[in-house]
Amino acid sequence: MKDATPFQATGAFASNGTGSTRRDILKFVGGLAVGLPVIGSSDFSSFVSKAFAAGPSGLIRLATSDVSPGDSLDPHRQLSFTDAIRSYFVYEKLTEIGPNGELLPQLAKSWSSDPTAKVWTFELDPGATFHNGKPLKSSDVVYSFRRVAAKATASPGAAFAKNIAEVAADGDSTVRVTLTSSDSEFPIIASIRYFAVVEEGVEDFTSAAVGTGPWKLSSFEPGISAEYVRNDNYRIKGLPLLSKIESFGIGDESARLNALLSDSAEVIQGVNAKAVERVRKSSSAQVLLSQAGATATFPMHVDKAPFDNPKVRKALKLAFDREEFVKIAFGGIGTAGCDHPIPPGDPFCASDLPLPRPDKAEVVRLLTEAGHADTTFELHTSDANYGGADAAVVLAELMGRNGVKVKVTKHPSDSYWSTIWNSVPWCASSWTVRPSAISRIETGYVSGAPQNETGWTSPEVDQLIVKAKSELDPAKRKALLAQAQKIIADDGGTIVGAFVPWIDGYSTKVTGLVANPILFAGSGLWTKVQVAAS
């Protein structure tokens, strides 16, 4: 990721003569995260009230969990949750997923395919313009899709572009996508956040982000904050309703919750399930709860010892009670996972696969045969994960009951995704919702997937996914995907502990905020969100 240039503090983030700045706040909450004495909510409120002056009507302050120096403005290279919601504020795609999982038009006003579902035609919204006033053209979409697919871009979305044979402009307002093989779900694929449309020819995202979205980026400091102002020329007349958004990072869960309850943030990412009742009983805040589709996982690198031994992986999968894990780690808010990425509510879930049950005798036998009966397995985590670091602690305790020794190592949230995740042999991970069963598997369980967290691959799974994408009969497609899910669950390197909803918090002053299964805080689809004056 590229560095961005710093900006001058303005608005509620500016130093107001008290000496408190954005960096002061980050240092403060960072101290909480590394174990300095915990202070009460009243102390926290007193501190932040100096730095976060009450904003005018139309301003929302958003606290996210995982800002880092590696924050990126490039929508095709986004990695963190904070990068993702920034992309939703600033950029748009051809299609979008609504709050009920429905496919909606965005930059494309309509789409159609040939009888084989190999050639898709998208008609663009004629009213869409970039923040610099340039009208959206089909050539911008062509450039964006090609950039996602290009090896040099190193986009996590490249896996979803592998089936694209050609993207071509037919005039200024029509885009034609030709696929290598049939894909009846391609309009859903076009809604994935990596396919955000940027201006043709733009490669430098170090300090600017010019999209067609409802808000324009006005300032950005990696690892600290970002500010957005209303796009007065947005393609939908009268929207958005908010004049300004300010986002900043608070990695510590308790500090983030205190920011909400002390009226220092209107929206926060990630309320721990154990704190849900506290928020609900508050007179100033409420809980935003989505469908359970995000995934709490614990990937094991199959190319690193001891997880290169399938007996070790199998033992750990059988070492904990999954319903108990959801009950303790997530307050019962969620659904137990079966070590494949498709949630029970998905119509293509292999619901006949049995949930793994704890089996201490089998665990001991497998570990003994693998030569790891006395091994202590190190599990890395941070509060940036679903359930925070506590979820990993709960998993370790449950595994300990069944003969597995686990040491949990907690890392700072602000550097977790860039330095720990996908680098250590075993860690906690958190997956946002993908819009379809196929896209869930393609993201991390097929050969060449840029977010394959374990290094595990299966030629059989690869072929099953190719066949499923080409199969237009839903029943036959489900049968193919069921086979893939069984192979992944039995042999894969990922422990899928739970499917959880996005649990966020927001002020009672905020209206129009609707949960979305794709991303936290309503997936950043805030055009109709309003906030009452203080």
Side-chain angles (χ1 to χ4, degrees), residues 46-102:
S46 175
F47 177 87
V48 296
S49 65
K50 298 176 182 178
F52 292 94
S57 177
L59 164 68
I60 279 187
R61 296 162 295 178
L62 166 67
T64 61
S65 68
D66 64 348
V67 297
S68 79
D71 287 349
S72 175
L73 295 177
D74 188 340
H76 303 153
R77 291 175 174 151
Q78 56 182 281
L79 181 62
S80 69
F81 294 138
T82 303
D83 284 347
I85 203 160
R86 182 183 304 112
S87 180
Y88 277 86
F89 290 154
V90 175
Y91 299 100
E92 293 180 299
K93 301 152 294 180
L94 291 178
T95 58
E96 184 54 272
I97 301 298
N100 297 312
E102 71 276 26

Side-chain angles (χ1 to χ4, degrees), residues 88 93 95-97 103 186-193 195 435:
Y88 277 86
K93 301 152 294 180
T95 58
E96 184 54 272
I97 301 298
L103 185 65
F186 185 73
I188 298 176
I189 296 299
S191 74
I192 294 174
R193 64 179 184 264
F195 289 106

Side-chain angles (χ1 to χ4, degrees), residues 106-367:
Q106 199 168 61
L107 289 178
K109 64 178 183 178
S110 64
W111 54 87
S112 59
S113 76
D114 71 345
T116 68
K118 275 189 176 183
V119 180
W120 287 89
T121 302
F122 296 86
E123 299 294 336
L124 302 183
D125 185 331
T129 59
F130 286 97
H131 298 154
N132 57 12
K134 175 183 175 293
L136 172 72
K137 294 184 179 181
S138 53
S139 57
D140 299 308
V141 179
V142 171
Y143 172 77
S144 299
F145 272 61
R146 289 178 178 173
R147 187 171 184 271
V148 171
K151 186 176 181 180
T153 306
S155 171
F160 302 108
K162 289 194 300 183
N163 192 33
I164 297 176
E166 182 185 19
V167 187
D170 184 1
D172 285 342
S173 60
T174 302
V175 177
R176 187 160 290 112
V177 182
T178 302
L179 306 178
T180 302
S181 59
S182 301
D183 188 352
S184 58
E185 295 186 343
F186 185 73
I188 298 176
I189 296 299
S191 74
I192 294 174
R193 64 179 184 264
Y194 303 111
F195 289 106
V197 176
V198 301
E199 278 190 276
E200 181 181 9
V202 173
E203 281 290 345
D204 185 1
F205 293 88
T206 55
S207 60
V210 178
T212 62
W215 291 275
K216 300 185 291 186
L217 184 76
S218 60
S219 55
F220 173 62
E221 189 171 359
I224 305 295
S225 60
E227 297 183 0
Y228 314 84
V229 296
R230 185 179 190 270
N231 177 8
D232 293 332
N233 297 313
Y234 188 54
R235 59 187 174 82
I236 302 177
K237 188 175 181 179
L239 298 179
L241 301 178
L242 285 175
S243 60
K244 190 175 184 180
I245 300 169
E246 295 180 340
S247 68
F248 52 95
I250 303 179
D252 182 77
E253 281 187 342
S254 297
R256 202 164 55 247
L257 180 59
N258 282 336
L260 174 67
L261 297 180
S262 65
D263 198 29
S264 299
E266 282 74 38
V267 181
I268 66 167
Q269 174 193 359
V271 172
N272 192 296
K274 297 177 182 178
V276 165
E277 285 307 310
R278 179 185 173 192
V279 175
R280 285 175 172 166
K281 291 177 181 179
S282 164
S283 61
S284 62
Q286 48 197 328
V287 173
L288 187 69
L289 197 66
S290 74
Q291 301 172 21
T295 317
T297 69
F298 301 89
M300 302 170 281
H301 271 273
V302 302
D303 55 352
K304 296 178 181 178
F307 305 109
D308 54 348
N309 190 320
K311 290 184 178 180
V312 171
R313 304 197 300 269
K314 186 69 173 178
L316 267 59
K317 290 179 180 180
L318 293 174
F320 70 107
D321 185 314
R322 291 163 189 256
E323 283 105 341
E324 191 74 2
F325 174 68
V326 173
K327 180 179 179 181
I328 300 174
F330 297 99
I333 302 175
T335 305
C338 194
D339 298 331
H340 64 73
I342 314 304
D346 191 292
F348 291 98
C349 177
S351 55
D352 57 337
L353 290 180
L355 192 70
R357 300 292 176 183
D359 187 334
K360 185 173 182 179
E362 182 66 3
V363 168
V364 172
R365 183 187 72 79
L366 288 167
L367 291 180

